[in-house]
Amino acid sequence: MAPPLSLLHRTASAFWRTSSRILRSSPSSTHPGSICTRCRRQQQIRFSSNHQMADDPRWISVVDHPAQIVRTGQKHGPGLIILALIPITAFALGTWQVQRLDWKTKLIAKFEDRLVKPPLPLPPQVDPDAISEFDYRRVYAKGHLRHDQEMLIGPRMHDGQDGFLVVTPLERGKGESTVLVNRGWIPKRLQNQADRPLGVPRGEVTIEGLLREPWKKNFFTPENRPEEGKFYFPDVYQMAELTGSQPVWIEETMVPDLVEAYDREAKGIPIGRAAAVNLRNNHTQYIFTWYGLSLATTIMLWMIVRKRPNEAVRRVRQNRHW
């Protein structure tokens, strides 16, 4: 028996509606050349499995352009240059100290040779320019000490005690010049002349001592204040101008004797210096110091230059074509 016409009509309508929805949802309905996303991915996977990197003409092999192991940072920076200057400078200073040692040794030998010679009488007028040729030469002179023009230089230490150096002009005979005499050291408690009557001799005296060159002031030493009677270093030219003397400096000497020094201190008599050369000669220590520093810094420089870079400072520089 044939189906009714109405049933066939409903079945055909449903099929047509379903077919229309499928055609509208498919991209090929509007763009015949387009491919769906799933199909495109499948094609890429198949292409990738069959395609090799060497087939690309732009591809560069690692064998042709290998990686390079390099050290980061500059190999020779400013710090290394400064470190290289240290041993050179220290070696130069050590060599200079060798020359200074030779000069100081010869100077001390010359002064010690003058000390063993008998004392000379001080001429009536002393040429200040010739004093350098008689430095540390033993001399003697007669005259009267001008205690009213006494000057105290200090503070000065002696055996752990604070005190002063007593400088007194020596007024010589008629036609002879006045010179400055460093009589020696006194303790601070005896700075007043009234407290040391035995240390202020009257009448004619004979002074024997060393003829010395004028000193140069230390940078750290304050300036003298003569208007206040305060002297911190022996400014020979200044003291000579204040007292009307020649700029001639004599250091009175005595035989080094501990008992004699204690007796003089008790009586208020200035303690004179020994007739010896008191120049410092520390250049040997400086030579070992500078040469030792030069050697040590040279070894340090060699270790730094020769040191291989460790793993922490190694880096791989990749090729820019990768």
Side-chain angles (χ1 to χ4, degrees):
M1 181 176 180
L5 183 59
S6 59
L7 178 60
L8 293 174
H9 184 267
R10 288 196 298 269
T11 303
S13 300
F15 177 79
W16 176 256
R17 287 194 299 269
T18 303
S19 300
S20 299
R21 286 196 299 270
I22 293 174
L23 291 174
R24 284 196 301 268
S25 61
S26 176
S28 61
S29 59
T30 55
H31 301 283
S34 61
I35 305 176
C36 65
T37 305
R38 181 180 300 177
C39 296
R40 187 183 298 112
R41 291 178 179 174
Q42 292 178 355
Q43 290 179 0
Q44 290 176 354
I45 293 174
R46 290 196 299 269
F47 178 78
S48 298
S49 61
N50 298 326
H51 181 71
Q52 300 296 331
M53 295 182 65
D55 296 336
D56 189 353
R58 296 173 299 176
W59 181 73
I60 300 176
S61 173
V62 179
V63 178
D64 298 331
H65 295 275
Q68 298 179 4
I69 299 178
V70 298
R71 185 174 182 176
T72 60
Q74 297 180 355
K75 188 176 181 180
H76 302 291
L80 190 64
I81 298 176
I82 295 175
L83 183 60
L85 292 176
I86 294 177
I88 298 174
T89 305
F91 184 83
L93 291 174
T95 304
W96 177 63
Q97 288 298 328
V98 171
Q99 299 174 358
R100 292 279 296 175
L101 175 63
D102 180 68
W103 167 78
K104 184 64 71 67
T105 302
K106 292 180 180 179
L107 184 65
I108 293 176
K110 181 176 65 174
F111 289 160
E112 289 179 344
D113 180 67
R114 293 176 181 177
L115 288 176
V116 299
K117 296 180 179 180
L120 293 174
L122 198 66
Q125 297 291 331
V126 182
D127 183 7
D129 297 332
I131 293 179
S132 60
E133 301 177 6
F134 294 89
D135 196 13
Y136 274 96
R137 191 68 166 83
R138 295 169 59 193
V139 296
Y140 66 90
K142 295 182 180 180
H144 295 79
L145 292 172
R146 295 291 306 270
H147 298 292
D148 58 323
Q149 295 180 332
E150 180 182 86
M151 294 166 287
L152 301 179
I153 301 177
R156 291 291 188 276
M157 300 297 295
H158 180 75
D159 291 340
Q161 295 188 64
D162 193 8
F164 301 92
L165 295 177
V166 181
V167 180
T168 308
L170 178 65
E171 190 177 47
R172 299 188 291 168
K174 185 177 181 180
E176 297 181 317
S177 63
T178 302
V179 296
L180 299 174
V181 178
N182 176 13
R183 300 183 59 206
W185 178 88
I186 60 170
K188 186 176 181 179
R189 67 177 186 274
L190 299 178
Q191 58 181 327
N192 295 324
Q193 292 185 4
D195 298 332
R196 45 186 171 89
L198 297 179
V200 187
R202 307 294 177 179
E204 187 178 60
V205 296
T206 300
I207 300 297
E208 182 175 337
L210 303 179
L211 186 64
R212 294 301 315 279
E213 277 191 293
W215 285 264
K216 294 182 179 180
K217 187 177 78 71
N218 191 307
F219 177 77
F220 301 99
T221 305
E223 296 288 343
N224 292 336
R225 290 184 286 180
E227 65 280 359
E228 301 178 10
K230 296 181 179 180
F231 298 89
Y232 301 102
F233 76 102
D235 189 338
V236 178
Y237 294 98
Q238 183 186 56
M239 292 180 172
E241 184 178 359
L242 290 173
T243 58
S245 308
Q246 273 197 297
V248 178
W249 182 272
I250 299 176
E251 293 186 346
E252 188 174 2
T253 58
M254 59 171 284
V255 178
D257 189 311
L258 185 61
V259 177
E260 177 68 15
Y262 285 153
D263 183 63
R264 287 194 174 200
E265 181 179 351
K267 295 179 180 179
I269 302 175
I271 302 174
R273 58 161 296 172
V277 180
N278 58 358
L279 296 179
R280 293 185 299 176
N281 189 6
N282 299 327
H283 300 289
T284 303
Q285 301 177 12
Y286 299 151
I287 290 173
F288 281 102
T289 299
W290 289 119
Y291 278 155
L293 179 62
S294 177
L295 178 61
T297 51
T298 300
I299 294 175
M300 292 174 57
L301 179 64
W302 180 82
M303 293 175 63
I304 292 175
V305 172
R306 296 289 298 175
K307 184 179 179 181
R308 295 175 60 87
N310 53 31
E311 296 298 332
V313 298
R314 291 184 180 183
R315 298 292 184 269
V316 176
R317 179 183 297 166
Q318 296 184 352
N319 193 291
R320 60 186 179 89
H321 298 290
W322 291 4

